[in-house]
């Protein structure tokens, strides 16, 4: 199994280091960061080191989490997916215990982190990765860290489901009944540390997170599409009461059980403006957390569970039948002169106007013969920028925010070549275009949480209940 584990800051400082087998040099952290920082592999266009690489007989495997690098080294031929999942679980347990996972929290709680590592790993082999199971063996308490941009607290809900705060997001994103309602700092609190001072605030957080993988043909048709989704929960409820989560009443598991009209051009569910109710949603497959009870799931699509300590996935699901993509990209490549080529890109937001996409980046690999690129954006464009990276011959178009409802942005890139190329050759060497984005309060699958109910409590018990929806781009590719 693994030989070493260490956590590096964005500057390369080694915050946590544990050597389990003593068969890898002690300078492995420095060697890894130097290679990671100045990566040059077989693919010259790659700007970042892959999650797994071998250097001088040592396998390095890493993940990025909250700006930190969680790294494992191994001499033997270990299973990459197993080690990457191990690193993810270590990061998750650390976040559960520390509340906020960043460089400051690790430095102030390094004794607790080392104690956790000693209980989770033995001679490089994983032992227990459950936050709840580790409570019996870990006795150090975390030092609380205040978030640099706290959001104001809200009032207890009256049965309505409202979204939890996104880190650094404006409070105006979350409105209910005309009032701004955002959670407090509870989501950044350790799930195991006892509260001091103020009375503990009863809260439960649910995140519906979806990652989209879509490939478009040059004509704009969808070639492949897939949604990898998960419903995550984090509970701060005392006495571990039962929680009931209700999903779409017309949820269908398995395409063979779905109506043919829905799979082949039919529809249902949320309308174009996002104001529709809960409709038919077809999932290819799904799996549930071990604590979930499905006694009435086939009847009314409700799940009952006693939330364990820490953040966990209630359900993981996958959907592969065609859905409405949130973005459409319309590229046009035109030869102006033998040494000048123009690429016109139109980006259209096709998600509801009630949502706003953040951190949109359009990346276009360009031919190696390109020596200069000048870009023209929309007149009066705000929060947009372009950057041509000559080393990797990549054009990046960045948009900070883009509301939905059919909004469009355009970028016209004028390229200068160092040799004459035909239009057919340029199309082969340009692209494919890729997108990365983040859309809060939107999910492409239309899977909804109808209600979130806390059971076995009196009528006066009314905890805070927060539900948010977040959609990310996993692989959003447009071919030229």
């Amino acid at each position: 199994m693994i030989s070493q584990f260490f956590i590096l800051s964005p500057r390369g400082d080694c915050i946590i280091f544990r050597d389990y087998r003593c068969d890898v040099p002690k300078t492995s952290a420095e060697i890894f960061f130097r290679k990671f920082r100045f990566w040059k592999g077989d693919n010259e266009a790659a700007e970042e080191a892959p999650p797994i690489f071998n250097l001088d007989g040592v396998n390095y495997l890493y993940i990025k989490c909250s700006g930190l690098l969680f790294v494992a080294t191994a001499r033997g031929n270990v299973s990459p997916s197993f080690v990457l999942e191990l690193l993810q679980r270590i990061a998750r347990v650390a976040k559960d215990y520390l509340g906020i996972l960043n460089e400051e929290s690790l430095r102030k709680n390094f004794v607790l982190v080392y104690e956790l590592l000693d209980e989770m790993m033995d001679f490089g082999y994983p032992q227990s990765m459950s936050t709840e199971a580790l409570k019996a063996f870990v006795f150090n308490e975390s030092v609380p860290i205040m978030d640099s941009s706290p959001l104001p607290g809200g009032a207890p809900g009256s049965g309505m489901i409202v979204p939890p705060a996104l880190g650094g997001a404006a409070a105006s994103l979350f409105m209910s009944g005309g009032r701004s309602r955002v959670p407090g700092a509870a989501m950044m609190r350790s799930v195991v540390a006892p509260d001091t001072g103020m009375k503990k605030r009863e809260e439960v957080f649910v995140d519906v997170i979806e990652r989209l993988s879509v490939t478009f043909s040059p004509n704009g048709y969808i070639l492949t599409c897939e949604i990898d989704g998960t419903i995550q929960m984090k509970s701060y409820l005392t006495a571990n009461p039962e929680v009931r989560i209700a999903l779409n009443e017309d949820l269908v598991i398995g395409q063979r059980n779905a109506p043919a009209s829905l799979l082949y051009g039919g529809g249902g569910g949320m309308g174009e403006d996002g104001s529709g109710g809960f409709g038919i949603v077809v999932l290819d497959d799904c799996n549930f957390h071990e604590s979930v009870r499905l006694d009435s799931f086939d009847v009314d699509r409700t799940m009952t569970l006693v939330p364990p300590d820490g953040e966990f996935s209630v359900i993981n699901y996958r959907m592969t039948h065609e859905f409405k993509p949130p973005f459409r990209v319309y590229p046009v490549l035109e030869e102006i002169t033998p040494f000048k080529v123009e690429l016109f890109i139109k980006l259209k937001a096709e998600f509801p106007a009630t949502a706003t996409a953040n951190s949109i980046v359009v990346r276009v690999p360009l031919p190696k013969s390109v020596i200069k690129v000048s870009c023209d954006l929309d007149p009066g464009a705000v929060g947009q920028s372009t950057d041509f990276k000559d080393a990797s011959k990549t054009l990046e178009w960045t948009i900070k925010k883009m509301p939905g409802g059919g909004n469009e942005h355009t970028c016209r890139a004028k390229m200068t070549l160092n040799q004459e190329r035909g239009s057919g050759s340029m199309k082969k060497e340009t692209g494919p275009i890729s997108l990365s984005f983040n859309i809060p309060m939107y999910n492409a699958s239309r899977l909804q949480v109808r209600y979130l109910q806390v059971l076995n409590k009196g009528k006066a018990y009314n905890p805070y209940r927060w539900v948010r929806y977040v959609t990310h781009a996993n692989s959003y590719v447009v071919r030229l």
Side-chain angles (χ1 to χ4, degrees):
M1 196 40 67
I2 68 172
S3 300
Q4 295 172 335
F5 169 78
F6 49 88
I7 304 176
L8 302 181
S9 72
R11 302 181 306 277
D13 299 332
C14 190
I15 306 171
I16 301 294
F17 184 90
R18 180 65 81 195
D19 194 344
Y20 294 105
R21 294 173 174 265
C22 300
D23 60 350
V24 173
K26 298 289 186 182
T27 58
S28 58
E30 182 180 350
I31 296 172
F32 164 80
F33 188 77
R34 189 184 301 116
K35 186 68 174 177
F36 169 83
R37 182 70 177 81
F38 305 101
W39 174 259
K40 287 185 180 180
D42 296 334
N43 184 5
E44 296 180 1
E47 299 179 5
E48 190 174 276
I52 307 158
F53 60 87
N54 183 283
L55 186 62
D56 298 331
V58 178
N59 296 313
Y60 293 89
L61 306 95
Y62 77 95
I63 63 169
K64 281 184 177 181
C65 187
S66 301
L68 303 170
L69 294 169
F70 287 70
V71 189
T73 63
R75 280 285 186 186
N77 187 17
V78 296
S79 169
S81 58
F82 181 85
V83 177
L84 294 177
E85 176 66 20
L86 173 64
L87 295 175
Q88 291 282 3
R89 295 203 180 190
I90 292 175
R92 185 178 302 173
V93 170
K95 184 179 179 182
D96 288 340
Y97 271 82
L98 304 182
I100 300 175
L101 185 59
N102 56 26
E103 184 177 353
E104 182 185 4
S105 64
L106 287 175
R107 292 190 184 278
K108 290 191 175 181
N109 293 279
F110 72 94
V111 176
L112 172 60
V113 175
Y114 276 114
E115 186 177 10
L116 287 170
L117 287 176
D118 290 341
E119 298 297 338
M120 288 190 289
M121 302 286 294
D122 186 12
F123 198 60
Y125 289 92
Q127 301 299 309
S128 177
M129 294 291 166
S130 169
T131 302
E132 193 168 13
L134 289 170
K135 287 177 64 177
F137 308 103
V138 177
F139 301 100
N140 279 288
E141 295 182 1
S142 63
V143 178
I145 305 295
M146 295 301 295
D147 191 13
S148 58
S149 57
L151 289 170
S158 57
M160 299 186 69
I161 295 178
V162 292
L166 296 169
S172 59
L173 282 174
F174 310 109
M175 304 292 293
S176 178
R179 292 188 302 165
S180 176
R181 305 178 61 177
V182 295
M187 205 170 185
M188 302 300 180
R189 189 176 70 231
S190 170
V191 298
V192 294
D195 284 347
T196 57
M198 297 180 63
K199 182 180 178 181
K200 182 177 179 181
R201 180 161 144 164
E202 301 286 320
E203 294 181 293
V204 58
F205 299 87
V206 173
D207 289 346
V208 181
I209 303 173
E210 293 186 347
R211 295 172 178 82
L212 309 184
S213 299
V214 187
T215 304
F216 296 91
S217 70
N219 297 326
Y221 295 104
I222 297 177
L223 299 177
T224 61
C225 59
E226 182 175 340
I227 297 177
D228 288 319
T230 181
I231 298 180
Q232 295 184 342
M233 176 180 285
K234 193 172 186 179
S235 173
Y236 294 98
L237 303 176
T238 56
N240 291 333
E242 281 190 333
V243 175
R244 178 178 294 153
I245 301 176
L247 304 179
N248 305 56
E249 291 179 334
D250 295 328
L251 178 65
V252 178
I253 309 297
Q255 291 196 14
R256 65 177 61 185
N257 301 322
S261 60
L262 178 66
L263 295 178
Y264 303 101
M270 191 174 295
E272 294 293 327
D273 59 351
S275 60
F278 310 106
I280 297 179
V281 176
V282 182
L283 305 180
D284 286 41
D285 49 57
C286 62
N287 60 74
F288 300 89
H289 189 267
E290 57 187 10
S291 64
V292 176
R293 297 205 307 272
L294 304 172
D295 301 337
S296 60
F297 186 77
D298 291 335
V299 178
D300 56 6
R301 294 311 189 196
T302 60
M303 304 176 289
T304 306
L305 69 153
V306 177
D309 291 325
E311 187 175 3
F312 67 99
S313 295
V314 179
I315 175 176
N316 297 303
Y317 58 90
R318 186 173 61 95
M319 188 175 83
T320 58
H321 73 268
E322 191 168 320
F323 56 89
K324 185 176 182 179
F327 285 102
R328 286 280 185 174
V329 181
Y330 302 96
V332 177
L333 188 65
E334 183 180 2
E335 183 180 356
I336 307 300
T337 68
F339 293 92
K340 288 188 180 294
V341 178
E342 187 173 283
L343 175 63
F344 178 79
I345 304 174
K346 182 172 74 172
L347 180 66
K348 184 177 181 181
E350 296 194 343
F351 51 91
T354 54
T356 300
N358 303 320
S359 305
I360 307 162
V361 180
V362 181
R363 294 182 177 87
V364 187
L366 301 178
K368 294 181 180 179
S369 57
V370 174
I371 57 175
K372 182 182 178 182
V373 178
S374 61
C375 297
D376 296 330
L377 301 176
D378 294 325
V382 179
Q384 299 185 38
S385 62
T386 57
D387 181 26
F388 172 60
K389 299 185 177 180
D390 187 61
S392 58
K393 301 296 182 183
T394 303
L395 174 64
E396 289 191 358
W397 176 23
T398 303
I399 305 173
K400 290 184 178 180
K401 290 185 178 181
M402 185 174 182
N407 277 289
E408 297 179 356
H409 290 308
T410 61
C411 175
R412 190 180 300 272
K414 300 175 182 178
M415 298 175 283
T416 303
L417 313 178
N418 60 7
Q419 57 183 349
E420 185 176 349
R421 307 297 289 270
S423 59
S425 175
M426 286 295 296
K427 277 194 174 183
K428 291 181 180 179
E429 297 182 24
T430 305
I433 300 174
S434 62
L435 268 74
S436 62
F437 53 82
N438 175 31
I439 312 178
M441 299 315 300
Y442 167 81
N443 64 331
S445 69
R446 304 190 309 272
L447 182 70
Q448 304 286 307
V449 176
R450 288 190 287 128
Y451 62 82
L452 178 62
Q453 185 178 10
V454 180
L455 307 177
N456 303 333
K457 289 285 186 177
K459 294 183 178 180
Y461 184 69
N462 193 17
Y464 294 76
R465 285 159 287 173
W466 308 101
V467 177
R468 73 171 172 180
Y469 300 87
V470 184
T471 297
H472 304 283
N474 184 34
S475 175
Y476 210 88
V477 176
V478 180
R479 296 176 181 174
L480 287 175

